[in-house]
Amino acid sequence: MADYEDHYDATYELKRYFPVYHELTVHQLRTYFTWRTQLRQGHFPVTSTSYAYLYIYELLNNIGVASPDEGYEKLIQFRDKCAPSYHSRMRDLLDLWLCDYVLYYELDQQKARTIFAKRLTADQDYQILLHPSDDSPEQLLTVFKNHSTYLKSCLLLKKSPKQFAELLKVVWQQILDLRQTSQFDYFNQAIATRVSTSHTYFRSAVFYFQKPPRLKTYQVDGDHIYHLGARTCSSNIYYPVKHQDKKLNTLLHEIDRLARESFHLGHPLKPRQLNSTVQQAILTGIKTYQRIQDEKRRPRVTLNLDSLDQIRTDASLTRESLLTEEEKEAPTAPKEEPVPQPSPEPAPASSQSLLNADETMLVVALLKNQSWQQYLKDHHLMVSILVDQINEKLFDEIGDTVIEFNADNQPVIVEDYRQDLEQLFL
């Protein structure tokens, strides 16, 4: 039936798991082959989901195509043009089966790089995280942005992106070094773990194993090397740790918090629960970064010691030629060293400048449990908009939402930050 075409006028529905030809009635077969004929002519009508899977199973078994390369192109076409009309699970399964299709039929590396693109990107990110010294601070920062949401609102990153990237690289290297000093592997516990896996080709699909792959191994990249068997393949690859993004958000929050304390920037953040060894590594990394910056600011003078005697002689002759007769005869008075003056302390920024008058009024009123409704009415203000503005402006200082709405839809201070707001506004 690989090349059979039909033009059946009736339509019969099909609902069956793992459908194959001999389980269908004549009416269902004619409905299916008519629909398949339309697909091959470039039309993509929606039909029963079971018919769609039957067509996919045909392509996985290379029924109706001249070569695996043609089957690959038709699977890609169906995934992109038809699968969205069905349930999302279909596209996920197609992505999974296409990976097996490339391996089982030993397709070229270009197709492999296309199908394994997401995994290859993750591999590249993991390599940058494991070997940060090989890449720039900006590249490392980009990887953290790809796997965490915290940096979208990080105050230090907004104010000094270049300096924060450099700080992050130094701190992250210190955290990685824990593997040698304390046997604590943060990458393995919070980001990704190298796992040995084995699975049957085209799992959850109807597939007939006619002949095993000729190749014994298929290397997609340095981290994705598959060992091919007759019915199964195995690999040793990185898999993301569960709740990876949440764990990285906690880490970056603590880096932000401890950096604020060390550099006296912004409003102090509330600590989050993080392994004490990792916290100490963050502090050590911050101190290392400070030493590096101090070293960069220190002026460097290069002296040619071979010419030092000549320099002294020339300086002496120049001095003698500039002295008057009286200066030559007068005794030289000891030169007083200037007394170093302390650097003026920077004036503290006013917390009131964080908000305008209307916003400050609402915060103070909520802190003191005072009425605010009449003020907003007189000034034609909406409380929801005012609260949004306050939360947005104070996010950099507090690091979280400070006002929320209760069950009665009234604004209230988040109790965790009441003391912080009282210090700022009362």
Side-chain angles (χ1 to χ4, degrees), residues 1 4 6 8 10-12 14 21 24-40 47-48 50-59 63:
M1 307 304 294
Y4 179 76
D6 203 339
Y8 193 45
T11 299
Y12 284 79
L14 176 65
Y21 296 156
L24 275 61
T25 66
V26 172
H27 296 294
Q28 290 171 332
L29 283 170
R30 295 201 65 185
T31 298
Y32 170 70
F33 289 124
T34 298
W35 174 75
R36 190 184 70 176
T37 299
Q38 294 175 317
L39 285 184
R40 292 178 177 181
T47 186
S48 299
S50 296
Y51 288 136
Y53 275 113
L54 180 57
Y55 178 71
I56 294 171
Y57 299 158
E58 284 186 346
L59 294 178
I63 294 174

Side-chain angles (χ1 to χ4, degrees), residues 49 53 82-93:
T49 302
Y53 275 113
C82 299
S85 300
Y86 301 92
H87 53 76
S88 59
R89 175 69 174 158
M90 180 180 290
R91 183 179 177 90
D92 293 339
L93 285 171

Side-chain angles (χ1 to χ4, degrees), residues 135-350:
D135 298 280
S136 68
E138 289 72 23
Q139 288 174 302
L140 180 65
L141 178 64
T142 298
V143 172
F144 275 104
K145 286 181 177 179
N146 291 341
H147 296 267
S148 168
T149 57
Y150 182 82
L151 294 176
K152 291 180 180 179
S153 55
C154 177
L155 171 65
L156 299 188
L157 178 58
K158 288 180 179 179
K159 289 187 174 181
S160 305
K162 183 176 184 298
Q163 288 76 10
F164 183 84
E166 293 173 351
L167 169 66
L168 180 61
K169 182 173 181 178
V170 175
V171 170
W172 178 244
Q173 185 64 64
Q174 198 69 39
I175 294 173
L176 287 181
D177 291 345
L178 292 176
R179 291 179 294 180
Q180 284 75 38
T181 58
S182 64
Q183 305 301 312
F184 185 87
D185 192 342
Y186 182 83
F187 180 90
N188 187 68
Q189 294 193 24
I191 298 179
T193 306
R194 203 162 185 84
V195 177
S196 296
T197 65
S198 179
H199 70 271
T200 303
Y201 299 106
F202 307 111
R203 50 201 183 278
S204 301
V206 176
F207 189 78
Y208 296 95
F209 293 92
Q210 299 179 29
K211 58 181 181 179
R214 292 178 295 103
L215 298 176
K216 297 299 181 184
T217 61
Y218 192 109
Q219 183 168 347
V220 180
D221 69 354
D223 288 314
H224 271 78
I225 302 175
Y226 289 89
H227 302 279
L228 309 181
R231 289 173 174 261
T232 62
C233 67
S234 60
S235 60
N236 189 16
I237 58 180
Y238 282 110
Y239 268 87
V241 171
K242 189 176 181 180
H243 304 308
Q244 179 197 93
D245 56 342
K246 183 178 179 181
K247 293 179 180 180
L248 282 178
N249 281 346
T250 298
L251 174 70
L252 292 168
H253 175 277
E254 286 301 283
I255 293 176
D256 187 9
R257 180 180 71 84
L258 294 172
R260 289 188 185 202
E261 290 182 1
S262 299
F263 301 127
H264 307 290
L265 296 172
H267 188 78
L269 300 177
K270 290 187 176 295
R272 294 185 183 177
Q273 187 174 0
L274 184 66
N275 181 280
S276 59
T277 304
V278 178
Q279 284 188 328
Q280 185 57 48
I282 294 173
L283 288 171
T284 303
I286 292 173
K287 292 178 181 178
T288 302
Y289 171 79
Q290 289 174 316
R291 287 197 299 270
I292 293 173
Q293 296 307 307
D294 290 342
E295 186 66 25
K296 287 181 179 179
R297 288 191 290 267
R298 188 174 298 158
R300 298 180 180 273
V301 179
T302 303
L303 294 178
N304 186 347
L305 298 180
D306 295 336
S307 305
L308 191 56
D309 289 339
Q310 184 61 44
I311 293 172
R312 288 170 176 164
T313 302
D314 293 344
S316 179
L317 292 174
T318 302
R319 177 178 176 277
E320 288 293 329
S321 66
L322 294 175
L323 291 176
T324 64
E325 293 298 327
E326 291 80 3
E327 289 173 330
K328 291 179 181 179
E329 295 175 359
T332 304
K335 185 177 180 181
E336 293 185 1
E337 293 293 331
V339 178
Q341 298 296 323
S343 300
E345 292 291 331
S350 171

